[in-house]
Amino acid sequence: MKVLVVGGGGREHALVWKIARSPLVSKVYSAPGNAGIAEEAEAIDIAAGDVASLLGFAKDSGIDLTVVGPEVPLVAGIVDKFQEEGLKIFGPRQHAANLEGSKAYSKMLMKSAGIPTARFKILSDLSAAKDYAEVTGAPIVIKASGLAAGKGVYVCKTIEEAHEAIDVVMKERIFGTAGDSVIIEECLTGEEASILAFVDGHAIFSLESSQDHKRAFDGDKGPNTGGMGAYSPAPVVTDRVMRQVERDVLVPVAYASNRNGCPYRGILYAGLMITEEGPSVLEFNVRFGDPETQPILMRMKSDIMEPILAVIDGSLADVAIEWDERPAVCVVMASGGYPGKYEKGKEITGIEEAEALGDVKVFHAGTALAGDKLVTNGGRVLGVTALGDTIAAAKERAYEAVGRIHFDGAHFRSDIADRAIRRA
Ligand code: AMP
Ligand code: GLY
């Protein structure tokens, strides 16, 4: 089969790397890809959000299957468009993708299906929103309802902060129409975890658990980022928690989507707070997580094409996935200044030396070629991922690999996986 992977970050590099290893696959294309992806797939210069050009390319090149990485094309309806043209594509259709595209839709679905989530109110009037925040009291969480590239969430310790957040989202409109309404919700406490599952409209198949590190600096300090590192499995997700999430979150979403007339097919990502009362949903994403996918796929021993095709055919119940028992840790190396302003074009060296350690894979995110030099080309640059016999060993190997890589201004956290190590 010829497979097209849409996107060009670390998640897509991991997907391309894994898909290219399938005996069912003869060739992988990636749009737009990055310098690392271009070593394992043919990179096509089409942006991930340019659905019309992607469709044209898939038709002209006889693509047998398209796998979508990022949320933007899914929410824009890329799956509906490909299917209308008779093309095979992995991901939810537009209506179902609202689970990520609209936090209001997602919260209403959770409420109607009895899925555990923070108490909330949806408000589209600025002064009503401020009044509600005032009455509820701090700490309180303010969220822009629409897509905001993971940046539309404000966890506010005081009412003043909450009022400021409401102004930024609804008055200054820094996220545009994503701020037409806000979700104001109860602040939950606990440890976060990500559960990703294949869903084929009826059956669900959970992947191994993982934990992201969203803040920029050690000790979960600093601003939120796209994710500074991840590990799998997450010890906070015990077997009992996993079964609770399947029963109380994933299955109800599949059934509720069916009731809403939009069967869910693809990867469903539940961002969870594991509270003292049990798991509670912070958000849904309708795609693989980034960087969670990097350590998860590093541990997947079986062919990823089997569950992907089974989701499309509705035969997920017949699939099994084999895992490497060893934990994996992914450390993101970012450009100095990220998630704020940063420079591009810094030369990157040492990737081969890092991978020579063994059980290490360096996934590229923001990289490009300048002549024959590998250079930085984005905020998150690399996802240095390692397996180890224990989570501590995986961490040690990942950081040893990081130590062999160099680019000017490189910034990374030094405490990825520490929470899991403390638990162990
Ligand atoms: P989200 O994009 O909705 O996952 O939110 C981004 C981050 O904000 C989450 O990873 C949490 O750290 C935090 N967050 C979101 N909602 C809540 C909540 N209700 N209580 C506490 N923290 C939250
Ligand atoms: N790692 C968070 C996300 O993919 O949204």
Side-chain angles (χ1 to χ4, degrees):
M1 293 178 86
K2 293 208 267 183
V3 180
L4 168 65
V5 175
V6 176
R11 161 185 55 210
E12 287 78 19
H13 191 185
L15 283 167
V16 163
W17 170 79
K18 189 69 189 155
I19 289 169
R21 267 150 193 74
S22 167
L24 301 173
V25 173
S26 54
K27 175 143 193 187
V28 186
Y29 298 84
S30 166
N34 59 36
I37 291 175
E39 285 173 18
E40 344 211 7
E42 184 173 334
I44 307 297
D45 189 19
I46 302 175
D50 185 355
V51 173
S53 301
L54 291 169
L55 182 60
F57 171 78
K59 279 207 285 196
D60 295 345
S61 311
I63 297 295
D64 300 298
L65 168 72
T66 300
V67 176
V68 186
E71 63 277 14
V72 169
L74 291 169
V75 172
I78 188 173
V79 173
D80 311 54
K81 298 242 167 56
F82 272 55
Q83 286 177 348
E84 278 157 25
E85 301 280 338
L87 293 173
K88 239 184 218 189
I89 182 163
F90 177 80
R93 289 166 67 93
Q94 187 169 30
H95 187 164
N98 269 326
L99 267 183
E100 179 167 0
S102 163
K103 286 194 191 285
Y105 175 89
S106 159
K107 287 298 258 190
M108 293 309 292
L109 181 140
M110 284 191 261
K111 192 171 174 187
S112 73
I115 294 169
T117 188
R119 280 192 302 270
F120 69 100
K121 196 161 173 88
I122 303 167
L123 293 142
S124 48
D125 177 77
L126 182 107
S127 65
K130 287 188 175 174
D131 289 348
Y132 180 76
E134 186 112 29
V135 170
T136 313
I140 194 166
V141 181
I142 311 291
K143 301 184 174 184
S145 180
L147 279 188
K151 299 187 184 89
V153 175
Y154 299 83
V155 179
C156 304
K157 290 197 197 76
T158 64
I159 285 303
E160 291 69 40
E161 276 179 48
H163 282 183
E164 263 171 53
I166 292 168
D167 276 336
V168 165
V169 173
M170 300 189 89
K171 201 152 117 193
E172 293 166 31
R173 300 205 146 236
I174 65 165
F175 307 113
T177 54
D180 282 349
S181 53
V182 287
I183 317 295
I184 301 190
E185 67 179 43
E186 165 198 14
C187 190
L188 300 174
T189 50
E191 190 172 336
E192 287 181 50
S194 310
I195 304 290
L196 283 68
F198 285 104
V199 182
D200 73 353
H202 303 282
I204 58 158
F205 198 116
S206 314
L207 307 186
E208 291 281 282
S209 62
S210 60
Q211 188 174 88
D212 188 8
H213 295 64
K214 291 204 166 88
R215 302 299 195 97
F217 307 122
D218 283 7
D220 291 328
K221 304 254 165 33
N224 268 318
T225 68
M228 293 300 293
Y231 60 87
S232 168
V236 64
V237 182
T238 57
D239 284 348
R240 183 188 150 90
V241 167
M242 190 61 130
R243 300 294 88 84
Q244 273 180 312
V245 173
E246 289 174 335
R247 188 193 61 214
D248 299 338
V249 177
L250 301 174
V251 168
V253 169
Y255 286 1
S257 300
N258 287 344
R259 275 198 302 280
N260 289 350
C262 54
Y264 195 95
R265 291 192 193 91
I267 278 280
L268 177 62
Y269 166 134
L272 303 161
M273 186 73 87
I274 313 301
T275 71
E276 272 173 9
E277 284 83 51
S280 181
V281 177
L282 296 175
E283 63 162 347
F284 286 118
N285 294 323
V286 297
R287 43 153 183 97
F288 288 96
D290 191 346
E292 292 96 324
T293 302
Q294 291 84 313
I296 290 174
L297 293 191
M298 191 92 176
R299 297 185 56 221
M300 188 185 281
K301 288 206 316 213
S302 42
D303 182 358
I304 193 174
M305 287 293 285
E306 282 178 18
I308 286 179
L309 293 170
V311 162
I312 295 172
D313 298 342
S315 59
L316 191 58
D318 303 329
V319 164
I321 298 180
E322 229 190 299
W323 298 99
D324 194 324
E325 288 294 319
R326 293 175 297 166
V329 171
C330 169
V331 178
V332 169
M333 296 181 75
S335 296
Y338 173 79
K341 267 203 198 136
Y342 55 84
E343 288 174 15
K344 296 182 183 177
K346 309 285 184 200
E347 185 174 2
I348 306 167
T349 57
I351 289 182
E352 250 175 62
E353 292 80 351
E355 289 186 337
L357 279 169
D359 285 329
V360 170
K361 176 71 188 170
V362 179
F363 294 111
H364 292 225
T367 67
L369 284 177
D372 57 1
K373 266 199 230 161
L374 182 68
V375 297
T376 65
N377 190 41
R380 290 190 290 176
V381 177
L382 301 169
V384 182
T385 312
L387 289 162
D389 288 333
T390 61
I391 185 86
K395 177 190 171 185
E396 200 179 310
R397 191 183 301 243
Y399 279 103
E400 200 178 332
V402 166
R404 295 183 176 194
I405 298 173
H406 179 266
F407 55 89
D408 279 348
H411 153 63
F412 53 89
R413 279 179 62 158
S414 65
D415 65 345
I416 303 300
D418 279 0
R419 231 187 253 109
I421 292 169
R422 277 200 296 275
R423 261 179 201 275

